[in-house]
Amino acid sequence: MHQIVSNPVDSSRRWWVLAIVVAAQFMFGVDAFIVNVAIPTIAVELRASAAQIEAVIAIYLIAYATLVVTGGRLGDIYGTKNVFIAGVLGFTVTSLWCGLAQSGPELILARLAQGATAALMVPQVLATLHLLFTDSSRARAFGIYGIVLGLAGAAGFMLGGVLVTLDLAGLGWRAVFFVNVPSGVVIIAAALKIMPTVPRRAGARLDMSGAIVLFTGLLCLIGPLLFGHDVHWSPWVWLVMASGVAIIAGFLRLERSVARRGGMPLIDLALLSDLAFMRGLVAVFFFFFANLSFYLLMTMFMQRGLQIPPLHAGLVFVPLALTFVIASRHSGARARHRGTRVLIEGCAVQLAGLAALVTTIESVAAPSAMLLALVLMVFGYGQGLVMAPLSSAVLSTVKPASAGAGSGMYGTTAQIANAAGVVAIGAVFFAMEAAHSAQLALFAACALFALSIGICAVFLSWMRRATA
């Protein structure tokens, strides 16, 4: 708590700080979607192989997911402002490098660096919100955060298509990376002037051994999830994943040893005994398990099953993103009165949206992009009700001194879940599509989405009991 006391931030200034950090979150969110839109063009211009194109997406996710806990802990040690600015600077420079890449391997290396710098930047966003908004304004602040998440998705889909299509100044796909440069410069300038300076914790050092072991364990766990399909799930893939689980178990023992010696573990071990926080992380896993995979498989179904053109398929999600924004705004106010029950209500709305989607596809032979967009708005509204207050609810019992570590664990859980969902539900979808039809494949995927969201709701209910 001394971080807030030693650097008092008045209510007017902290809203400016909120604007700065969510602008960085917006830049990060747009980048995730905008690159996906540009991938086909990148493949052609750089003459990249299918494996290289997959790596452009996967290596970024691996770098981010394996380092985000370390990035969060660095914020706890050196101050959220210092690490945030370093992360934004790195993200800006590596975005420029991505745009200047002349080959597939160079772009992969640049994306690796970009993911690593994102792991420094993004945990500081949630940590800053958690530190500065501890009063009745907390729900409103996290509601704004949720709105930004939704807007980033809509902007990424639209901006990616526009930049690639217009081919501004002959830049083509490179513009999707260059757009981060002026944004990053503005964010850094504002952060230097407005964000409060938090002095580093005296005598605190990063647990390097823990950081290396955790990185290795997560790499062994996540890497095979993303590349296993390419090697037909060879037995060695499962061995590597099993070794990842064993290394992470060893990491926990190592952290307890660091704590006994009086050091500062990479994660706050007290978080592992926080029942509400741990149940919340399980809910986070199952929520995100049905997140990225849903959008990927819906896009595949529209283009391969319904023959909807790529641009129109992308635009289908824009109304969904807008209802996500509206729900995020509503959820902030509802959370103040109903607490975490609004999260469970959001899960119920998502389930209703999935039911409406299945009913529509079953009853209409070839639903149009417009009809699908209208149906998906229900699902988007439910997602917005959950995602906006989810981070606030899960982090509510985390002490300010461990805000970065808690945010890092949240981010890692979400990214592992995204990767696992794409692999597991994607495998079912593609197997059903090959054996039967795209329609039956989507029905099977929707059943798994519903199961995952239902489990999320159960753990949210258990988290609520633990908090009470």
Side-chain angles (χ1 to χ4, degrees), residues 180-259:
N180 291 333
V181 177
S183 303
V185 170
V186 171
I187 291 170
I188 291 169
L192 286 169
K193 184 175 182 180
I194 297 174
M195 284 187 75
T197 300
V198 180
R200 65 167 293 169
R201 292 172 64 165
R205 295 191 307 169
L206 179 67
D207 173 20
M208 283 301 299
S209 59
I212 293 170
V213 171
L214 180 62
F215 171 80
T216 304
L218 290 175
L219 186 63
C220 291
L221 187 62
I222 299 172
L225 280 176
L226 296 171
F227 295 110
H229 177 73
D230 296 333
V231 294
H232 308 291
W233 299 104
S234 172
W236 68 262
V237 170
W238 302 104
L239 289 175
V240 172
M241 291 179 66
S243 69
V245 173
I247 291 170
I248 291 173
F251 163 76
L252 295 176
R253 290 195 291 271
L254 174 64
E255 294 301 274
R256 292 189 177 96
S257 174
V258 171

Side-chain angles (χ1 to χ4, degrees), residues 59-136:
I59 203 71
Y60 176 86
L61 179 62
I62 288 174
Y64 177 78
T66 54
L67 293 172
V68 69
V69 170
T70 301
R73 202 49 157 172
L74 285 171
D76 291 334
I77 296 172
Y78 295 103
T80 51
K81 176 180 179 177
N82 296 330
V83 179
F84 175 77
I85 291 174
V88 176
L89 177 61
F91 192 80
T92 303
V93 172
T94 53
S95 294
L96 179 63
W97 183 14
C98 288
L100 294 172
Q102 298 299 309
S103 67
E106 184 184 359
L107 181 58
I108 292 168
L109 188 60
R111 286 283 285 173
L112 174 68
Q114 191 186 32
T117 56
L120 290 178
M121 175 179 73
V122 175
Q124 316 316 321
V125 177
L126 281 176
T128 298
L129 266 63
H130 183 59
L131 289 169
L132 296 184
F133 294 92
T134 57
D135 54 16
S136 58

Side-chain angles (χ1 to χ4, degrees), residues 111-396:
R111 286 283 285 173
L112 174 68
Q114 191 186 32
T117 56
L120 290 178
M121 175 179 73
V122 175
Q124 316 316 321
V125 177
L126 281 176
T128 298
L129 266 63
H130 183 59
L131 289 169
L132 296 184
F133 294 92
T134 57
D135 54 16
S136 58
S137 297
R138 181 181 178 89
R140 182 184 173 196
F142 276 90
I144 293 172
Y145 169 78
I147 289 172
V148 167
L149 290 179
L151 287 175
F157 279 121
M158 291 187 292
L159 190 58
V162 169
L163 289 176
V164 173
T165 303
L166 292 182
D167 192 19
L168 297 173
L171 294 173
W173 62 268
R174 299 178 188 277
V176 305
F177 293 109
F178 289 152
V179 73
N180 291 333
V181 177
S183 303
V185 170
V186 171
I187 291 170
I188 291 169
L192 286 169
K193 184 175 182 180
I194 297 174
M195 284 187 75
T197 300
V198 180
R200 65 167 293 169
R201 292 172 64 165
R205 295 191 307 169
L206 179 67
D207 173 20
M208 283 301 299
S209 59
I212 293 170
V213 171
L214 180 62
F215 171 80
T216 304
L218 290 175
L219 186 63
C220 291
L221 187 62
I222 299 172
L225 280 176
L226 296 171
F227 295 110
H229 177 73
D230 296 333
V231 294
H232 308 291
W233 299 104
S234 172
W236 68 262
V237 170
W238 302 104
L239 289 175
V240 172
M241 291 179 66
S243 69
V245 173
I247 291 170
I248 291 173
F251 163 76
L252 295 176
R253 290 195 291 271
L254 174 64
E255 294 301 274
R256 292 189 177 96
S257 174
V258 171
R260 284 196 299 269
R261 296 196 304 266
M264 183 179 182
L266 190 63
I267 61 173
D268 185 346
L269 295 174
L271 295 177
L272 301 179
S273 59
D274 184 337
L275 198 57
F277 178 71
M278 295 307 294
R279 287 177 177 177
L281 284 186
V282 177
V284 167
F285 178 88
F286 283 102
F287 176 80
F288 283 97
F289 188 81
N291 179 45
L292 188 60
S293 54
F294 174 81
Y295 294 102
L296 173 65
L297 298 183
M298 243 343 268
T299 302
M300 297 296 291
F301 171 75
M302 286 189 289
Q303 294 188 40
R304 289 159 61 153
L306 301 179
Q307 303 301 312
I308 296 176
L311 179 59
H312 293 170
L315 291 175
V316 163
F317 294 113
V318 173
L320 179 152
L322 295 178
T323 55
F324 181 101
V325 170
I326 294 170
S328 298
R329 183 174 178 82
H330 288 170
S331 65
R334 290 173 66 84
R336 285 194 292 271
H337 302 293
R338 299 180 60 79
T340 53
R341 277 181 292 185
V342 70
L343 300 170
I344 301 171
E345 292 168 1
C347 289
V349 175
Q350 282 183 272
L351 293 174
L354 288 173
L357 175 63
V358 169
T359 301
T360 299
I361 293 173
E362 190 174 22
S363 58
V364 180
S368 65
M370 178 66 73
L371 178 59
L372 289 174
L374 292 174
V375 173
L376 289 176
M377 289 170 70
V378 179
F379 184 83
Y381 189 85
Q383 267 209 328
L385 286 178
V386 178
M387 191 177 289
L390 181 61
S391 52
S392 175
V394 173
L395 294 172
S396 62

